[in-house]
Amino acid sequence: MTFFSLARFVAVASKEFLQMRRDRLTFAMVLGIPLMQLIVFGFAINSDPRHLPTALLIQDHSPFSRGLTRAMENSTYFDVTEVISTEAEAHDLIQRGSVQFVVQVPVDFARDLLRGDRPQLLVEADATDPAATSNALASVQTLLDRVLAQELRGPNEWLRSQPPAVDLVVHAAYNPERISQYNIVPGLMGVVLTMTMVIITALAITRESERGTMENLLSTPVRALEVTLGKIIPYVLMGYFQAGLILVAARFLFDVPMVGSIPLLLAVMMIFIIANLAVGITFSTIARNQLQAMQMAFFFFLPSILLSGFMFPFRGMPVWAQHIGEVLPLTHFLRITRGILLKGSDLSMIRPEIGPMALFAAVVLLIGLKRFRQTLD
Amino acid sequence: MRSPDTPPSIDVTGITKIFGSKTVVDRISMRVLPGEIYGFLGPNGSGKTTFLRMLCGLLKPDAGSGTCLGFDILKEPREIKRRVGYMTQRFSYYEDLSIRENLDFVGRMYGIPKRRQAVDEALERLNLKDRQKQLAGQLSGGWKQRLALAACMLHDPELLLLDEPTAGVDPSARREFWEEIHQLAARGLTVLITTHYMDEAERCHRLAYIASGHLMAEGTVAEVVEGARLVTYEISGGNQPELAARLRASDAITQAVAFGSSLHVSGSNRQLMEAVLGHALDPDHRWKEIPSELEHVFIDLMRKEREENKP
Ligand SMILES: Nc1ncnc2c1ncn2[C@@H]1O[C@H](COP(=O)(O)OP(=O)(O)OP(=O)(O)O)[C@@H](O)[C@H]1O
Ligand SMILES: [Mg+2]
């Protein structure tokens, strides 16, 4: 007794290919969705997130640095999560994405300030998502002015006159010009894959039940796994085709820099594609017709696009929404894509994002296979 | 035909299927011997398709047990599927694949050896060789039926479950179909076939009639007609529509149906019927007793079932 027949699996997959090729609507969707989204989301979406995790790199302990710490802690834009003392730590935190900002008070800051030497206050921002950082950055200057007004009193009051006593230097890491497309376009890849993978697989299987061909298919000795995998494979390839389309557009149309390893991105993408296909398959086992399948697909797609950090900066969302977002594969894939493309992250840096995505894929695939009806009732 | 002591191809007892709160198939038992052509008849919605689906493992019976080709219908659906050719009532091949691609796909599902050759032969037999590249969806209704039939026989099954295979097929193709079925049966293939056509019912070796999920009659055509104990008269001449309406109102007459220029009336009690007829007929009506036919019997069975199971 064989539990999996390669011949039947190949037969199902090639049948699916044939049907895909002949179905003009699907084909139009595969091409049209990425193109349309590229146009629609080609411009920035702004918002005003607060409570962004911030690290303070204090290399000069003085009343001024204490005043600044207090002011940062009171600001609604920043949540001081770490106080550190070396630049290596700062760099690491930013790259891992555990903080959005590092505010650095350099050595001898207070001395230089009182001498009137206009010392630098350094702000390093993870600007991969510029929408998330722009307002917060703008608030730094105000915040600084307030601290200075408090600290420079009496004999030092003369320092508050022009030119400003402190030179605020903002360094936007990873996306120095803070161009939104850099953030949006790589994100779009995940969005498009979610949309087409879920919808098209949900439709492809429901179509079999709706047209009655499932009855025929199930009356043959075919097994659930053969049908499921045979249906998935053509769409995996299609997913890669779409991803390629967007990557090319990102590179040549939007000049998105690609610092990281593309092969790594494509490899991790596999898990993401499978996660979404699993959702599509599971929906198709629940839906009675193609319309229902479509509705369910949107039911999944909307939270994905809204809560993953694609539409709104992840840290700007309420905590409950962030919890939901953490479950969705798109959230993790967005971080992976942005990490690899814009920051040049390597496997060890994106590993924390792969786990939840793979877990999601495994759980949903299991549900889908279990629910796949070997019978018609 | 093989000897009667060969194990039956279908041997099930007490098969029941419930959808929601409705019992669609109610404790049906059936035995079909190898090489037999077994007709399965019943009004629309009586549960024929549901019963066939349970035989080939597409639906799980809620009660009952049995074997198909010696395999347990509950535990070994896969062995059954391998050996059964099931033709669905509704065309269920891929309309967006060509005729050849459809046959080829079926061949691959069953792992047929020498697939190319088998497909070529099927196309040859169907006379569709020169149209093999045409999409199945573009075929006319009757041709779709013929394609479906060819496809479900491609893997050389031992048992055919055919759900209204000749619906919408023209008379000459229907005749060809029955010729072929009889030839296959002679070689030992078992056929369970549903139909609404009386002439086809009469071509079966044995048949069963179900209504609302209940098995109402079973046996050869002669046995079924005999078992109904129905008396039928043919009335000709006079104003028949008016007469029919009057007769239908009587309890003794269970059916009055126009057949061409005459009226067929049936009932189960000869004395009562003759009394009613003697009273109701005008001098210009002529009447004589005729042998009851399958159709009279079926309509009578349907009515009986309704009376027995009135809520
Ligand atoms: N999946 C299902 N869910 C609920 N009810 C069903 C289902 N399939 C069939 N039925 C019901 O079961 C009854 C029997 O249907 P079935 O298709 O077996 O009848 P049939 O004898 O084949 O009729 P026909 O001659 O019209 O083909 C019908 O009342 C039908 O509505
Ligand atoms: Mg039916």
Side-chain angles (χ1 to χ4, degrees), chain A residues 1 8 11-12 14-15 18-19 22 208 210-213 215-223 374-377, chain B residues 17 19 53 57-60 78-79 81-82 86 88 90-94 96-98 101 105 108-110 135:
Chain A
M1 195 93 170
R8 283 200 298 259
V12 174
S14 41
K15 181 217 84 173
L18 272 175
Q19 290 186 303
R22 290 192 186 142
E208 295 249 6
E210 206 178 300
R211 291 188 186 163
T213 52
E215 184 175 3
N216 214 328
L217 193 60
L218 291 183
S219 75
T220 73
V222 80
R223 282 172 184 276
Q374 274 286 28
T375 56
L376 287 170
D377 40 357
Chain B
K17 184 73 195 179
F19 284 127
R53 284 176 175 167
L58 280 174
L59 285 176
K60 243 191 160 49
R78 201 168 301 278
E79 293 303 318
K81 284 175 183 180
R82 232 188 272 285
Y86 172 48
T88 56
R90 178 179 157 197
F91 182 72
S92 58
Y93 289 88
Y94 298 97
D96 48 356
L97 295 190
S98 73
E101 284 159 353
F105 180 69
R108 293 210 220 183
M109 284 296 110
Y110 288 97
L135 293 190

Short mmCIF file of all heavy atoms in Angstrom, two decimals, chain A residues 1 8 11-12 14-15 18-19 22 208 210-213 215-223 374-377, chain B residues 17 19 53 57-60 78-79 81-82 86 88 90-94 96-98 101 105 108-110 135:
data_model
loop_
_atom_site.label_atom_id
_atom_site.label_comp_id
_atom_site.label_asym_id
_atom_site.label_seq_id
_atom_site.Cartn_x
_atom_site.Cartn_y
_atom_site.Cartn_z
N MET A 1 0.86 -1.21 0.00
CA MET A 1 0.00 0.00 0.00
C MET A 1 0.88 1.25 0.00
O MET A 1 1.65 1.48 0.93
CB MET A 1 -0.86 -0.03 1.27
CG MET A 1 -2.00 0.92 1.21
SD MET A 1 -3.46 0.08 0.59
CE MET A 1 -4.70 1.30 0.90
N ARG A 8 0.54 10.12 -9.65
CA ARG A 8 -0.73 10.82 -9.50
C ARG A 8 -0.51 12.28 -9.12
O ARG A 8 -1.22 13.17 -9.60
CB ARG A 8 -1.60 10.12 -8.45
CG ARG A 8 -2.27 8.86 -8.96
CD ARG A 8 -3.45 8.49 -8.09
NE ARG A 8 -3.04 8.21 -6.73
CZ ARG A 8 -2.89 6.97 -6.25
NH1 ARG A 8 -3.13 5.93 -7.01
NH2 ARG A 8 -2.50 6.78 -5.01
N ALA A 11 0.41 14.02 -12.17
CA ALA A 11 -0.77 14.17 -13.02
C ALA A 11 -1.64 15.33 -12.57
O ALA A 11 -2.08 16.15 -13.38
CB ALA A 11 -1.58 12.87 -13.00
N VAL A 12 -1.85 15.43 -11.26
CA VAL A 12 -2.68 16.53 -10.74
C VAL A 12 -1.99 17.87 -11.02
O VAL A 12 -2.62 18.82 -11.49
CB VAL A 12 -2.94 16.37 -9.23
CG1 VAL A 12 -3.67 17.58 -8.68
CG2 VAL A 12 -3.74 15.11 -8.96
N SER A 14 0.22 18.67 -13.37
CA SER A 14 0.25 19.10 -14.76
C SER A 14 -1.14 19.46 -15.26
O SER A 14 -1.30 20.37 -16.09
CB SER A 14 0.92 18.05 -15.66
OG SER A 14 0.52 16.77 -15.31
N LYS A 15 -2.14 18.79 -14.72
CA LYS A 15 -3.51 19.18 -15.05
C LYS A 15 -3.78 20.61 -14.60
O LYS A 15 -4.35 21.42 -15.31
CB LYS A 15 -4.49 18.22 -14.37
CG LYS A 15 -5.93 18.51 -14.65
CD LYS A 15 -6.80 18.25 -13.45
CE LYS A 15 -6.80 19.44 -12.54
NZ LYS A 15 -7.69 19.42 -11.43
N LEU A 18 -2.17 23.09 -16.89
CA LEU A 18 -2.94 23.24 -18.12
C LEU A 18 -4.13 24.18 -17.89
O LEU A 18 -4.40 25.09 -18.68
CB LEU A 18 -3.48 21.89 -18.57
CG LEU A 18 -2.58 21.05 -19.47
CD1 LEU A 18 -3.22 19.69 -19.71
CD2 LEU A 18 -2.38 21.78 -20.79
N GLN A 19 -4.82 23.94 -16.77
CA GLN A 19 -6.01 24.75 -16.49
C GLN A 19 -5.64 26.19 -16.22
O GLN A 19 -6.32 27.11 -16.63
CB GLN A 19 -6.76 24.17 -15.30
CG GLN A 19 -7.42 22.85 -15.63
CD GLN A 19 -8.28 22.36 -14.49
OE1 GLN A 19 -7.80 22.19 -13.37
NE2 GLN A 19 -9.55 22.13 -14.75
N ARG A 22 -5.02 28.02 -19.32
CA ARG A 22 -6.20 28.29 -20.14
C ARG A 22 -7.16 29.26 -19.48
O ARG A 22 -8.08 29.76 -20.11
CB ARG A 22 -6.94 26.98 -20.43
CG ARG A 22 -6.12 26.16 -21.37
CD ARG A 22 -6.83 25.00 -21.95
NE ARG A 22 -5.85 24.24 -22.70
CZ ARG A 22 -5.80 22.94 -22.76
NH1 ARG A 22 -6.73 22.24 -22.16
NH2 ARG A 22 -4.87 22.34 -23.43
N GLU A 208 -13.36 22.99 -8.11
CA GLU A 208 -13.56 21.56 -8.36
C GLU A 208 -14.86 21.07 -7.74
O GLU A 208 -15.58 20.28 -8.33
CB GLU A 208 -12.39 20.74 -7.81
CG GLU A 208 -11.09 21.00 -8.51
CD GLU A 208 -10.60 19.82 -9.34
OE1 GLU A 208 -11.33 18.83 -9.46
OE2 GLU A 208 -9.48 19.91 -9.86
N GLU A 210 -17.42 23.02 -6.96
CA GLU A 210 -18.54 23.73 -7.56
C GLU A 210 -18.90 23.15 -8.92
O GLU A 210 -20.06 22.99 -9.26
CB GLU A 210 -18.18 25.21 -7.67
CG GLU A 210 -19.38 26.11 -7.69
CD GLU A 210 -18.98 27.57 -7.76
OE1 GLU A 210 -18.28 28.02 -6.85
OE2 GLU A 210 -19.37 28.23 -8.73
N ARG A 211 -17.90 22.83 -9.72
CA ARG A 211 -18.18 22.31 -11.05
C ARG A 211 -18.49 20.82 -11.04
O ARG A 211 -18.80 20.23 -12.05
CB ARG A 211 -16.98 22.54 -11.96
CG ARG A 211 -16.78 24.00 -12.27
CD ARG A 211 -15.73 24.18 -13.32
NE ARG A 211 -15.44 25.59 -13.52
CZ ARG A 211 -14.36 26.04 -14.12
NH1 ARG A 211 -13.47 25.18 -14.59
NH2 ARG A 211 -14.17 27.33 -14.29
N GLY A 212 -18.36 20.20 -9.86
CA GLY A 212 -18.69 18.78 -9.77
C GLY A 212 -17.54 17.87 -10.12
O GLY A 212 -17.65 16.65 -10.02
N THR A 213 -16.40 18.45 -10.53
CA THR A 213 -15.28 17.59 -10.92
C THR A 213 -14.65 16.90 -9.71
O THR A 213 -13.98 15.90 -9.85
CB THR A 213 -14.21 18.39 -11.67
OG1 THR A 213 -13.87 19.52 -10.88
CG2 THR A 213 -14.71 18.85 -13.01
N GLU A 215 -16.23 15.32 -7.45
CA GLU A 215 -16.88 14.02 -7.29
C GLU A 215 -16.15 12.97 -8.10
O GLU A 215 -15.91 11.85 -7.65
CB GLU A 215 -18.34 14.12 -7.74
CG GLU A 215 -19.10 12.84 -7.51
CD GLU A 215 -20.58 12.94 -7.85
OE1 GLU A 215 -21.01 14.00 -8.33
OE2 GLU A 215 -21.29 11.95 -7.64
N ASN A 216 -15.77 13.36 -9.30
CA ASN A 216 -15.05 12.44 -10.17
C ASN A 216 -13.66 12.15 -9.63
O ASN A 216 -13.21 11.00 -9.59
CB ASN A 216 -14.93 13.09 -11.54
CG ASN A 216 -15.00 12.05 -12.61
OD1 ASN A 216 -14.56 10.93 -12.41
ND2 ASN A 216 -15.53 12.41 -13.75
N LEU A 217 -13.00 13.22 -9.23
CA LEU A 217 -11.62 13.09 -8.73
C LEU A 217 -11.59 12.16 -7.51
O LEU A 217 -10.74 11.29 -7.39
CB LEU A 217 -11.10 14.48 -8.37
CG LEU A 217 -9.60 14.60 -8.13
CD1 LEU A 217 -8.84 14.20 -9.37
CD2 LEU A 217 -9.26 16.03 -7.74
N LEU A 218 -12.57 12.34 -6.63
CA LEU A 218 -12.59 11.55 -5.40
C LEU A 218 -13.02 10.11 -5.65
O LEU A 218 -12.80 9.24 -4.80
CB LEU A 218 -13.52 12.19 -4.36
CG LEU A 218 -13.04 13.52 -3.78
CD1 LEU A 218 -14.02 14.00 -2.73
CD2 LEU A 218 -11.65 13.40 -3.19
N SER A 219 -13.63 9.85 -6.80
CA SER A 219 -14.02 8.47 -7.07
C SER A 219 -12.84 7.67 -7.63
O SER A 219 -12.93 6.47 -7.82
CB SER A 219 -15.21 8.43 -8.03
OG SER A 219 -14.80 8.73 -9.33
N THR A 220 -11.72 8.35 -7.88
CA THR A 220 -10.51 7.65 -8.30
C THR A 220 -9.68 7.35 -7.04
O THR A 220 -9.98 7.88 -5.97
CB THR A 220 -9.66 8.50 -9.26
OG1 THR A 220 -9.04 9.54 -8.52
CG2 THR A 220 -10.50 9.10 -10.38
N PRO A 221 -8.65 6.54 -7.15
CA PRO A 221 -7.88 6.20 -5.94
C PRO A 221 -6.98 7.33 -5.43
O PRO A 221 -6.14 7.09 -4.59
CB PRO A 221 -7.02 5.01 -6.39
CG PRO A 221 -7.53 4.60 -7.72
CD PRO A 221 -8.19 5.77 -8.32
N VAL A 222 -7.12 8.53 -5.92
CA VAL A 222 -6.23 9.62 -5.53
C VAL A 222 -6.34 9.92 -4.03
O VAL A 222 -7.38 9.69 -3.42
CB VAL A 222 -6.54 10.89 -6.37
CG1 VAL A 222 -7.75 11.61 -5.83
CG2 VAL A 222 -5.33 11.80 -6.44
N ARG A 223 -5.22 10.40 -3.45
CA ARG A 223 -5.20 10.70 -2.02
C ARG A 223 -5.19 12.20 -1.77
O ARG A 223 -4.76 12.97 -2.63
CB ARG A 223 -3.96 10.09 -1.38
CG ARG A 223 -4.10 8.62 -1.15
CD ARG A 223 -2.79 8.03 -0.69
NE ARG A 223 -2.91 6.60 -0.57
CZ ARG A 223 -3.40 6.00 0.51
NH1 ARG A 223 -3.77 6.71 1.55
NH2 ARG A 223 -3.50 4.70 0.56
N GLN A 374 -12.26 13.59 1.96
CA GLN A 374 -12.07 12.47 1.04
C GLN A 374 -13.42 11.98 0.56
O GLN A 374 -13.52 11.20 -0.35
CB GLN A 374 -11.34 11.33 1.75
CG GLN A 374 -9.84 11.44 1.74
CD GLN A 374 -9.21 11.13 0.39
OE1 GLN A 374 -9.81 11.30 -0.65
NE2 GLN A 374 -7.99 10.65 0.42
N THR A 375 -14.47 12.44 1.23
CA THR A 375 -15.81 12.08 0.81
C THR A 375 -16.54 13.36 0.45
O THR A 375 -15.99 14.44 0.59
CB THR A 375 -16.56 11.37 1.94
OG1 THR A 375 -16.55 12.22 3.08
CG2 THR A 375 -15.91 10.06 2.29
N LEU A 376 -17.78 13.21 0.00
CA LEU A 376 -18.52 14.41 -0.43
C LEU A 376 -19.33 15.02 0.70
O LEU A 376 -19.86 16.11 0.54
CB LEU A 376 -19.44 14.06 -1.59
CG LEU A 376 -18.73 13.83 -2.93
CD1 LEU A 376 -19.72 13.28 -3.93
CD2 LEU A 376 -18.13 15.13 -3.45
N ASP A 377 -19.47 14.30 1.84
CA ASP A 377 -20.31 14.93 2.88
C ASP A 377 -19.52 15.79 3.83
O ASP A 377 -18.35 16.03 3.66
CB ASP A 377 -21.14 13.92 3.67
CG ASP A 377 -20.42 12.63 4.01
OD1 ASP A 377 -19.26 12.46 3.57
OD2 ASP A 377 -21.00 11.79 4.68
N LYS B 17 -28.55 6.68 4.90
CA LYS B 17 -27.85 7.97 4.86
C LYS B 17 -28.81 9.05 5.32
O LYS B 17 -29.94 9.14 4.84
CB LYS B 17 -27.35 8.28 3.45
CG LYS B 17 -26.54 9.57 3.36
CD LYS B 17 -25.18 9.39 3.99
CE LYS B 17 -24.50 10.72 4.25
NZ LYS B 17 -23.18 10.53 4.88
N PHE B 19 -29.19 13.15 5.82
CA PHE B 19 -28.69 14.52 5.62
C PHE B 19 -29.48 15.42 6.55
O PHE B 19 -30.68 15.61 6.35
CB PHE B 19 -28.88 14.98 4.18
CG PHE B 19 -27.89 14.39 3.22
CD1 PHE B 19 -28.32 13.75 2.07
CD2 PHE B 19 -26.53 14.48 3.45
CE1 PHE B 19 -27.41 13.21 1.17
CE2 PHE B 19 -25.61 13.95 2.56
CZ PHE B 19 -26.05 13.31 1.42
N ARG B 53 -23.19 6.72 -4.45
CA ARG B 53 -22.02 7.37 -3.85
C ARG B 53 -21.54 6.61 -2.62
O ARG B 53 -20.35 6.57 -2.34
CB ARG B 53 -22.37 8.81 -3.45
CG ARG B 53 -22.43 9.75 -4.64
CD ARG B 53 -22.88 11.12 -4.21
NE ARG B 53 -22.83 12.07 -5.32
CZ ARG B 53 -23.40 13.26 -5.28
NH1 ARG B 53 -24.03 13.65 -4.19
NH2 ARG B 53 -23.31 14.07 -6.31
N GLY B 57 -17.66 4.72 -1.93
CA GLY B 57 -16.83 5.38 -0.94
C GLY B 57 -16.82 6.89 -1.00
O GLY B 57 -15.98 7.53 -0.38
N LEU B 58 -17.73 7.48 -1.77
CA LEU B 58 -17.77 8.94 -1.84
C LEU B 58 -18.55 9.54 -0.68
O LEU B 58 -18.38 10.70 -0.34
CB LEU B 58 -18.41 9.40 -3.15
CG LEU B 58 -17.49 9.38 -4.36
CD1 LEU B 58 -18.26 9.70 -5.61
CD2 LEU B 58 -16.36 10.38 -4.18
N LEU B 59 -19.43 8.74 -0.11
CA LEU B 59 -20.18 9.17 1.07
C LEU B 59 -20.10 8.04 2.09
O LEU B 59 -20.04 6.88 1.71
CB LEU B 59 -21.66 9.42 0.72
CG LEU B 59 -22.03 10.67 -0.06
CD1 LEU B 59 -23.53 10.66 -0.36
CD2 LEU B 59 -21.68 11.92 0.73
N LYS B 60 -20.10 8.43 3.36
CA LYS B 60 -20.06 7.42 4.41
C LYS B 60 -21.48 7.12 4.85
O LYS B 60 -22.20 8.04 5.24
CB LYS B 60 -19.24 7.95 5.58
CG LYS B 60 -17.99 7.13 5.82
CD LYS B 60 -17.31 7.45 7.12
CE LYS B 60 -16.40 6.30 7.51
NZ LYS B 60 -15.52 5.84 6.44
N ARG B 78 -10.65 2.48 -0.78
CA ARG B 78 -9.62 2.68 -1.80
C ARG B 78 -9.53 1.47 -2.74
O ARG B 78 -9.38 1.63 -3.95
CB ARG B 78 -8.28 2.92 -1.11
CG ARG B 78 -7.27 3.60 -1.99
CD ARG B 78 -6.11 4.07 -1.17
NE ARG B 78 -6.56 4.99 -0.14
CZ ARG B 78 -6.79 6.27 -0.36
NH1 ARG B 78 -6.61 6.78 -1.56
NH2 ARG B 78 -7.20 7.06 0.61
N GLU B 79 -9.65 0.27 -2.17
CA GLU B 79 -9.62 -0.94 -3.00
C GLU B 79 -10.82 -0.94 -3.94
O GLU B 79 -10.74 -1.36 -5.09
CB GLU B 79 -9.65 -2.20 -2.11
CG GLU B 79 -8.39 -2.38 -1.27
CD GLU B 79 -7.15 -2.44 -2.13
OE1 GLU B 79 -7.19 -3.10 -3.18
OE2 GLU B 79 -6.13 -1.82 -1.75
N LYS B 81 -12.50 1.76 -5.03
CA LYS B 81 -12.35 2.80 -6.05
C LYS B 81 -11.49 2.34 -7.21
O LYS B 81 -11.72 2.69 -8.36
CB LYS B 81 -11.73 4.06 -5.43
CG LYS B 81 -12.71 4.85 -4.59
CD LYS B 81 -12.00 6.02 -3.92
CE LYS B 81 -12.95 6.79 -3.01
NZ LYS B 81 -12.29 7.92 -2.36
N ARG B 82 -10.45 1.57 -6.88
CA ARG B 82 -9.54 1.08 -7.91
C ARG B 82 -10.25 0.22 -8.94
O ARG B 82 -9.84 0.16 -10.10
CB ARG B 82 -8.47 0.22 -7.21
CG ARG B 82 -7.06 0.59 -7.52
CD ARG B 82 -6.16 -0.47 -6.91
NE ARG B 82 -5.80 -0.17 -5.54
CZ ARG B 82 -4.91 0.75 -5.20
NH1 ARG B 82 -4.31 1.44 -6.13
NH2 ARG B 82 -4.63 0.99 -3.95
N TYR B 86 -17.15 4.72 -11.92
CA TYR B 86 -18.35 5.45 -11.50
C TYR B 86 -18.60 6.58 -12.47
O TYR B 86 -17.74 7.42 -12.70
CB TYR B 86 -18.13 6.00 -10.08
CG TYR B 86 -19.20 6.94 -9.58
CD1 TYR B 86 -20.55 6.63 -9.70
CD2 TYR B 86 -18.86 8.14 -8.96
CE1 TYR B 86 -21.53 7.49 -9.23
CE2 TYR B 86 -19.83 9.01 -8.48
CZ TYR B 86 -21.16 8.68 -8.62
OH TYR B 86 -22.12 9.54 -8.15
N THR B 88 -20.74 9.80 -13.00
CA THR B 88 -21.61 10.70 -12.24
C THR B 88 -22.79 11.14 -13.09
O THR B 88 -22.74 11.14 -14.32
CB THR B 88 -20.82 11.94 -11.80
OG1 THR B 88 -20.28 12.54 -12.98
CG2 THR B 88 -19.69 11.57 -10.88
N ARG B 90 -24.05 14.16 -13.21
CA ARG B 90 -23.72 15.42 -13.86
C ARG B 90 -22.32 15.27 -14.46
O ARG B 90 -21.46 14.66 -13.86
CB ARG B 90 -23.72 16.48 -12.77
CG ARG B 90 -23.38 17.85 -13.19
CD ARG B 90 -23.47 18.76 -11.96
NE ARG B 90 -22.64 19.94 -12.16
CZ ARG B 90 -22.24 20.73 -11.20
NH1 ARG B 90 -22.57 20.47 -9.95
NH2 ARG B 90 -21.50 21.79 -11.47
N PHE B 91 -22.12 15.82 -15.65
CA PHE B 91 -20.81 15.70 -16.30
C PHE B 91 -19.74 16.25 -15.38
O PHE B 91 -19.80 17.40 -14.94
CB PHE B 91 -20.82 16.48 -17.61
CG PHE B 91 -19.52 16.36 -18.38
CD1 PHE B 91 -19.18 15.18 -19.01
CD2 PHE B 91 -18.65 17.42 -18.47
CE1 PHE B 91 -18.01 15.06 -19.71
CE2 PHE B 91 -17.45 17.32 -19.17
CZ PHE B 91 -17.14 16.13 -19.79
N SER B 92 -18.76 15.42 -15.05
CA SER B 92 -17.80 15.89 -14.05
C SER B 92 -16.36 15.71 -14.51
O SER B 92 -15.48 15.50 -13.70
CB SER B 92 -18.05 15.17 -12.73
OG SER B 92 -17.92 13.78 -12.92
N TYR B 93 -16.16 15.81 -15.82
CA TYR B 93 -14.79 15.87 -16.31
C TYR B 93 -14.45 17.34 -16.51
O TYR B 93 -15.32 18.21 -16.36
CB TYR B 93 -14.62 15.02 -17.56
CG TYR B 93 -14.68 13.57 -17.20
CD1 TYR B 93 -15.91 12.90 -17.15
CD2 TYR B 93 -13.55 12.90 -16.78
CE1 TYR B 93 -15.97 11.59 -16.73
CE2 TYR B 93 -13.61 11.59 -16.36
CZ TYR B 93 -14.83 10.93 -16.34
OH TYR B 93 -14.88 9.64 -15.89
N TYR B 94 -13.20 17.62 -16.84
CA TYR B 94 -12.77 19.02 -16.89
C TYR B 94 -13.14 19.65 -18.23
O TYR B 94 -12.64 19.24 -19.27
CB TYR B 94 -11.27 19.12 -16.63
CG TYR B 94 -10.92 18.61 -15.27
CD1 TYR B 94 -10.46 17.32 -15.07
CD2 TYR B 94 -11.13 19.41 -14.15
CE1 TYR B 94 -10.18 16.84 -13.80
CE2 TYR B 94 -10.86 18.94 -12.88
CZ TYR B 94 -10.38 17.66 -12.71
OH TYR B 94 -10.12 17.19 -11.45
N ASP B 96 -12.37 22.48 -19.28
CA ASP B 96 -11.30 23.28 -19.85
C ASP B 96 -10.10 22.43 -20.25
O ASP B 96 -9.03 22.96 -20.53
CB ASP B 96 -10.90 24.42 -18.91
CG ASP B 96 -10.70 23.95 -17.48
OD1 ASP B 96 -10.94 22.76 -17.20
OD2 ASP B 96 -10.29 24.78 -16.65
N LEU B 97 -10.29 21.11 -20.24
CA LEU B 97 -9.26 20.24 -20.80
C LEU B 97 -9.83 19.59 -22.06
O LEU B 97 -11.05 19.45 -22.19
CB LEU B 97 -8.86 19.14 -19.82
CG LEU B 97 -8.17 19.53 -18.51
CD1 LEU B 97 -7.66 18.28 -17.81
CD2 LEU B 97 -7.04 20.50 -18.74
N SER B 98 -8.94 19.19 -22.96
CA SER B 98 -9.43 18.57 -24.19
C SER B 98 -9.89 17.14 -23.89
O SER B 98 -9.64 16.60 -22.81
CB SER B 98 -8.34 18.56 -25.24
OG SER B 98 -7.36 17.61 -24.90
N GLU B 101 -6.90 15.03 -23.18
CA GLU B 101 -6.29 15.34 -21.87
C GLU B 101 -7.11 14.77 -20.73
O GLU B 101 -6.57 14.29 -19.74
CB GLU B 101 -6.15 16.86 -21.71
CG GLU B 101 -5.01 17.44 -22.51
CD GLU B 101 -5.16 18.94 -22.76
OE1 GLU B 101 -6.22 19.52 -22.42
OE2 GLU B 101 -4.23 19.52 -23.31
N PHE B 105 -5.75 12.06 -18.17
CA PHE B 105 -5.73 12.33 -16.72
C PHE B 105 -6.33 11.16 -15.95
O PHE B 105 -5.77 10.70 -14.96
CB PHE B 105 -6.50 13.62 -16.44
CG PHE B 105 -6.53 13.99 -14.98
CD1 PHE B 105 -5.39 14.40 -14.33
CD2 PHE B 105 -7.71 13.90 -14.25
CE1 PHE B 105 -5.41 14.73 -12.98
CE2 PHE B 105 -7.74 14.22 -12.91
CZ PHE B 105 -6.59 14.64 -12.28
N ARG B 108 -3.96 8.33 -15.80
CA ARG B 108 -2.89 8.52 -14.82
C ARG B 108 -3.37 8.32 -13.40
O ARG B 108 -2.65 7.80 -12.55
CB ARG B 108 -2.33 9.93 -14.95
CG ARG B 108 -1.62 10.17 -16.25
CD ARG B 108 -0.57 11.18 -15.98
NE ARG B 108 -0.41 12.15 -17.03
CZ ARG B 108 0.53 13.10 -16.96
NH1 ARG B 108 1.30 13.17 -15.89
NH2 ARG B 108 0.66 13.96 -17.92
N MET B 109 -4.61 8.71 -13.12
CA MET B 109 -5.15 8.55 -11.78
C MET B 109 -5.21 7.08 -11.39
O MET B 109 -5.00 6.70 -10.24
CB MET B 109 -6.56 9.15 -11.70
CG MET B 109 -6.61 10.65 -11.65
SD MET B 109 -5.86 11.29 -10.16
CE MET B 109 -4.42 12.02 -10.82
N TYR B 110 -5.53 6.23 -12.38
CA TYR B 110 -5.64 4.81 -12.08
C TYR B 110 -4.34 4.06 -12.35
O TYR B 110 -4.27 2.85 -12.15
CB TYR B 110 -6.78 4.18 -12.90
CG TYR B 110 -8.14 4.59 -12.42
CD1 TYR B 110 -8.84 5.63 -13.03
CD2 TYR B 110 -8.74 3.95 -11.34
CE1 TYR B 110 -10.09 6.01 -12.58
CE2 TYR B 110 -9.99 4.32 -10.90
CZ TYR B 110 -10.66 5.35 -11.51
OH TYR B 110 -11.89 5.72 -11.07
N LEU B 135 -11.90 20.98 -26.66
CA LEU B 135 -12.16 21.05 -25.22
C LEU B 135 -13.44 20.29 -24.90
O LEU B 135 -14.43 20.40 -25.63
CB LEU B 135 -12.29 22.50 -24.76
CG LEU B 135 -11.04 23.37 -24.84
CD1 LEU B 135 -11.27 24.70 -24.14
CD2 LEU B 135 -9.84 22.67 -24.23
#
